[in-house]
Amino acid sequence: MDYASSDHGDTAPLAVKILIAGGFGVGKTTLVGAVSEVAPLRTEEYLTHASVGVDDLEGLSGKSTTTVALDFGRITINSELVLYLFGTPGQERFWFMWNDLVQGAMGAVVLVDTRRLDVSFASIDFFESRGIPFVVGVNCFHGVRDRTQEEIRRALDLDPQVPLVLCDARDRAAGRDVLLALIDHLMAARSRVTPHPVA
């Protein structure tokens, strides 16, 4: 698909709602901030002693904040398509918000950390159970790729049609590639269910 900008007069671009989901500490806020063309809305709060025993910080020694509602950003793909990004909170105690955030969403990115794949199982189950198309973005922290794509697919029990993209959530171009993979996936899914006219 060609994502180059084109001139279509004053036609308003199609607005598409996308969720950025995944477990606690996988990089959702970072991804939204990296790709958003506007200053992202964040609802982060500092982790306190009250969260000890509630939030699992294993493998997250440098994490000091957490999303308590949502992250919001926007990226224009071209003159015809604008994505509105809604980052979900990762902690289990905030999962009730996902049912509201998912309303109107066309698709999702499930961000995963290969060091803690188990924290993303619930996200994958959530979208599969609702029939919402998604792609998996593997956040390669510090460029570390300690598992092959096939190993990750098996561990997550992914359907073969679900795209899996390696990325660095801090990098704008890498984040954009994940979003473009989702757009391609949405278009492919739509073409499979749209009947072709009989000549």
Side-chain angles (χ1 to χ4, degrees):
M1 179 178 177
D2 181 11
Y3 295 102
S5 296
S6 56
D7 184 10
H8 289 274
D10 297 326
T11 304
L14 175 66
V16 175
K17 180 180 180 180
I18 300 297
L19 294 191
I20 309 297
F24 179 49
V26 297
K28 301 179 296 295
T29 298
T30 300
L31 178 64
V32 172
V35 301
S36 180
E37 64 197 20
V38 297
L41 169 67
R42 294 184 171 129
T43 58
E44 287 191 298
E45 295 293 340
Y46 283 101
L47 292 167
T48 66
H49 291 295
S51 69
V52 175
V54 177
D55 295 324
D56 182 6
L57 295 176
E58 184 176 351
L60 300 172
S61 57
K63 187 167 179 63
S64 60
T65 61
T66 184
T67 299
V68 296
L70 60 90
D71 299 309
F72 174 79
R74 184 188 74 202
I75 179 171
T76 300
I77 299 299
N78 57 31
S79 61
E80 299 177 348
L81 180 62
V82 177
L83 304 184
Y84 290 91
L85 310 175
F86 291 77
T88 65
Q91 305 96 308
E92 186 173 354
R93 68 181 186 275
F94 295 130
W95 285 355
F96 69 92
M97 297 181 62
W98 288 34
N99 290 319
D100 291 328
L101 290 173
V102 78
Q103 296 298 319
M106 294 291 293
V109 171
V110 175
L111 206 58
V112 304
D113 176 356
T114 56
R115 302 168 301 178
R116 301 160 48 248
L117 286 174
D118 59 305
V119 302
S120 294
F121 292 161
S123 303
I124 291 171
D125 290 343
F126 180 85
F127 296 114
E128 284 182 340
S129 67
R130 287 160 177 78
I132 296 173
F134 67 94
V135 301
V136 171
V138 182
N139 191 5
C140 300
F141 287 84
H142 308 294
V144 175
R145 299 184 178 184
D146 56 354
R147 299 194 189 196
T148 67
Q149 291 196 34
E150 186 54 39
E151 288 172 335
I152 297 168
R153 282 189 170 279
R154 283 199 305 268
L156 296 175
D157 193 24
L158 287 181
D159 185 290
Q161 292 183 338
V162 175
L164 186 146
V165 184
L166 302 179
C167 68
D168 182 338
R170 302 167 299 179
D171 182 75
R172 178 178 174 83
R176 190 170 190 267
D177 287 346
V178 174
L179 294 171
L180 292 179
L182 175 60
I183 297 303
D184 284 340
H185 183 51
L186 292 173
M187 293 181 67
R190 183 175 180 181
S191 67
R192 286 193 295 268
V193 300
T194 302
H196 296 286
V198 178

